Amino acid sequence: MHRIFRASKRGDVKAVRKLQKTLIRSWSARLLAVRKVTQDNQGKKTAGVDGVKSLSPKARMNLANNLRITGKVRPTRRVMIPKPNSDEKRPLGIPTIYDRALQTLVKQALEPEWEAKFEPNSYGFRPGRSCHDGIGAIFNSIRYKAKYVLDADISKCFDRINHQALLKKVNTYPILNRILKQWLKAGYIDQGDNFFPTNKGTPQGGTISPLLANIALHGMEERIKEFARTLKGGKKANQDKMNLIRYADDFVIIHEDLGVIKSCQQIIEEWLSDMGLELKPEKTRLTHTLRTHEKETGFEFLGFHIQQYKVGNYRSAKNPHKEILGFNTLITPSKKCIKAHLNKIGEVIDTHKTAPQAALISKLNPIYAGGQTITRP
């Protein structure tokens, strides 16, 4: 995988394709793909349309032996799950264990190639990156100057991606291209055993779907930087002033000029239309980090509220030249997310009133993911 990354970084397409084929044929890579799907992943006991939830050690070995990028792909099983902090539901398309393992194997070959190409301010569903890296990038962008922000969300991103445009952008060798097309066109079966074809979008339950979504949205930052280079004031200066920070299908565009931000919104809408996507109007808004704009100040991104506050000289932030800025930048968990988090903890405690202490702790630990794990005294 490191060799694929280095070959992609230097632009050696021939070496990338050769190494990808070698990895897909590798016995170790197939074993790793099967282990991730059947033992490591959180949804390891989720069944596809074949009803298989788990495999014995012997069955896992047979699965690794039989992984081949040939044959037909089975449709996914449609499951509706609630969106966090919302009454809406998100559709999941869960492939069979065999298809999930094969997707993981293909992902191992494609991901290093695209990690060498992805833009620097893309943070969602990438190895070694998290939402906190995105928040850190926003802080670095606004820490010395108050700016306007376009806070945007792409409407039903996973469900509307244009298949033809996506496959053209992936631009891999024919065998991989064929299997990717089969996964995209596989269709789904709902709870009534009715089959529905899929002519657009990527199934959210597949292991390769986040990578395909990132590939589909790759190029947004470069398009904005290209626009920045046309503005007055020098190419380098404008590129540094303009920032697009993206986490999956959520992104913000930051600049000190309101007119530039509005132009960026139009440019992004045009760019997204080529992939069959559009911005979600109710979740797209213009705001300012320090002053009130359209009755709001600051913005929320990835569960955090980001805002700047006017303060006195004693508490004020300073620029690299030690000059007082007159404001301070604070990033705190949003009130909505805090309330949802506390409600979830309360529900677990209420439903386990008679449970032993160890059982309650085991239910609470996943909720505290990312924080300190509770241990029994």
Side-chain angles (χ1 to χ4, degrees):
M1 293 171 74
H2 289 288
R3 291 173 65 189
I4 294 173
F5 177 88
R6 290 196 297 268
S8 179
K9 198 74 174 176
R10 65 176 182 266
D12 191 345
V13 178
K14 187 176 180 180
V16 169
R17 299 290 177 258
K18 184 177 179 181
L19 290 167
Q20 285 175 334
K21 292 174 184 177
T22 302
L23 186 143
I24 287 174
R25 290 193 298 265
S26 166
W27 171 243
S28 298
R30 281 184 281 165
L31 288 176
L32 184 60
V34 171
R35 188 177 74 177
K36 282 184 178 180
V37 167
T38 61
Q39 294 176 277
D40 296 343
N41 290 353
Q42 190 175 0
K44 58 189 175 184
K45 292 188 178 180
T46 307
V49 293
D50 58 358
V52 178
K53 290 186 177 180
S54 60
L55 298 177
S56 65
K58 185 177 180 180
R60 291 198 294 269
M61 189 64 70
N62 290 335
L63 176 59
N65 275 321
N66 295 328
L67 279 185
R68 297 288 185 277
I69 307 181
T70 55
K72 287 189 176 182
V73 172
R74 302 192 70 173
T76 61
R77 182 171 68 91
R78 173 58 60 93
V79 176
M80 303 298 291
I81 61 170
K83 283 188 176 182
N85 309 325
S86 173
D87 295 331
E88 297 181 37
K89 290 194 173 183
R90 175 185 291 122
L92 282 187
I94 303 170
T96 62
I97 289 180
Y98 178 88
D99 285 333
R100 295 205 300 268
L102 193 56
Q103 285 183 15
T104 304
L105 181 63
V106 172
K107 181 183 177 183
Q108 289 175 357
L110 283 178
E111 192 170 57
E113 175 191 359
W114 280 93
E115 278 298 314
K117 299 178 183 178
F118 280 146
E119 294 157 329
N121 284 318
S122 166
Y123 297 97
F125 304 116
R126 292 184 60 187
R129 295 187 173 215
S130 69
C131 67
H132 294 283
D133 296 315
I135 296 298
I138 290 174
F139 176 75
N140 289 332
S141 176
I142 64 174
R143 64 187 301 185
Y144 299 131
K145 192 164 189 176
K147 296 180 181 180
Y148 285 96
V149 177
L150 171 66
D151 180 14
D153 183 22
I154 301 172
S155 178
K156 297 182 179 179
C157 176
F158 282 84
D159 300 330
R160 294 182 177 178
I161 293 173
N162 184 289
H163 289 172
Q164 188 175 356
L166 174 59
L167 292 171
K168 185 178 179 182
K169 186 178 279 191
V170 174
N171 191 28
T172 188
Y173 61 92
I175 296 176
L176 274 193
N177 188 76
R178 196 178 306 122
I179 193 69
L180 289 174
K181 186 175 182 179
Q182 287 182 15
W183 285 326
L184 293 173
K185 303 285 186 182
Y188 65 89
I189 294 176
D190 65 5
Q191 294 180 349
D193 292 335
N194 299 314
F195 175 79
F196 297 90
T198 49
N199 299 315
K200 57 184 179 179
T202 63
Q204 292 191 51
T207 57
I208 202 171
S209 296
L211 174 63
L212 294 179
N214 270 335
I215 293 173
L217 297 176
H218 173 67
M220 288 176 63
E221 186 178 349
E222 179 54 37
R223 179 65 188 91
I224 290 298
K225 294 292 184 183
E226 183 183 320
F227 169 66
R229 289 193 285 267
T230 65
L231 300 174
K232 294 181 181 180
K235 182 166 63 175
K236 182 68 168 65
N238 281 314
Q239 279 188 263
D240 292 342
K241 290 177 184 177
M242 181 87 72
N243 289 100
L244 186 149
I245 296 158
R246 180 173 66 85
Y247 189 95
D249 57 344
D250 295 331
F251 66 92
V252 292
I253 299 176
I254 302 172
H255 194 268
E256 59 191 46
D257 189 287
L258 179 59
V260 171
I261 288 289
K262 290 181 177 179
S263 299
C264 287
Q265 182 174 355
Q266 295 176 353
I267 290 169
I268 287 298
E269 286 175 347
E270 293 172 5
W271 188 91
L272 288 173
S273 64
D274 295 335
M275 291 300 301
L277 301 171
E278 61 183 8
L279 295 179
K280 197 171 187 176
E282 58 268 27
K283 287 192 176 181
T284 300
R285 60 195 184 94
L286 287 167
T287 183
H288 194 269
T289 57
L290 181 61
R291 299 191 299 272
T292 301
H293 179 75
E294 296 182 356
K295 300 181 180 180
E296 292 186 31
T297 309
F299 63 101
E300 290 189 3
F301 189 64
L302 302 179
F304 290 89
H305 182 76
I306 302 157
Q307 187 175 338
Q308 292 169 327
Y309 299 86
K310 291 182 180 180
V311 293
N313 291 346
Y314 179 73
R315 297 181 62 191
S316 172
K318 298 178 182 178
N319 66 15
H321 304 293
K322 303 299 181 182
E323 297 170 346
I324 294 173
L325 299 175
F327 63 82
N328 214 353
T329 303
L330 293 182
I331 300 177
T332 57
S334 69
K335 293 181 180 179
K336 188 176 180 181
C337 289
I338 291 173
K339 186 176 180 181
H341 183 70
L342 293 176
N343 287 341
K344 192 171 183 180
I345 292 173
E347 288 175 7
V348 172
I349 294 173
D350 288 341
T351 54
H352 292 80
K353 287 182 178 179
T354 59
Q357 186 184 49
L360 177 60
I361 288 172
S362 67
K363 293 292 182 181
L364 288 174
N365 272 339
I367 302 175
Y368 291 99
Q372 186 175 359
T373 303
I374 300 173
T375 56
R376 186 174 181 178

